Amino acid sequence: MILTEFNQELYEKNVREDGYLEGQADKAIEDAENLLRMRLGTVDQIAQATNLPLEKVQKLAENISVNA
């Protein structure tokens, strides 16, 4: 497939959206870490509150307990 047309506006919009989504994911991880450190809920509750996968929150919990 040959690229015949490049849409700069669409490209920039996609870059902004990707950055926004990445920032949201980073914030969710940060929030989960803070909640785990403060012991404000179970791993299940924190996963639900942050919309992170349970496995991700469990790994964060393990890392925090190891480093504590």
Side-chain angles (χ1 to χ4, degrees):
M1 185 169 119
I2 298 174
L3 181 64
T4 58
E5 184 178 323
F6 179 76
N7 186 330
Q8 185 69 30
E9 274 185 40
L10 182 59
Y11 170 77
E12 289 174 0
K13 179 183 176 200
N14 288 334
V15 168
R16 284 191 302 273
E17 287 175 0
D18 288 347
Y20 177 76
L21 294 175
E22 186 176 319
Q24 280 185 319
D26 291 345
K27 179 65 174 147
I29 291 170
E30 181 182 329
D31 290 346
E33 289 173 338
N34 288 335
L35 292 168
L36 289 164
R37 284 189 187 98
M38 296 171 69
R39 298 176 187 199
L40 294 177
T42 65
V43 173
D44 291 333
Q45 291 169 329
I46 293 170
Q48 186 177 14
T50 58
N51 291 322
L52 289 172
L54 180 60
E55 297 79 22
K56 178 69 174 176
V57 177
Q58 287 172 333
K59 287 180 184 177
L60 292 171
E62 290 171 9
N63 289 339
I64 288 172
S65 66
V66 168
N67 294 330

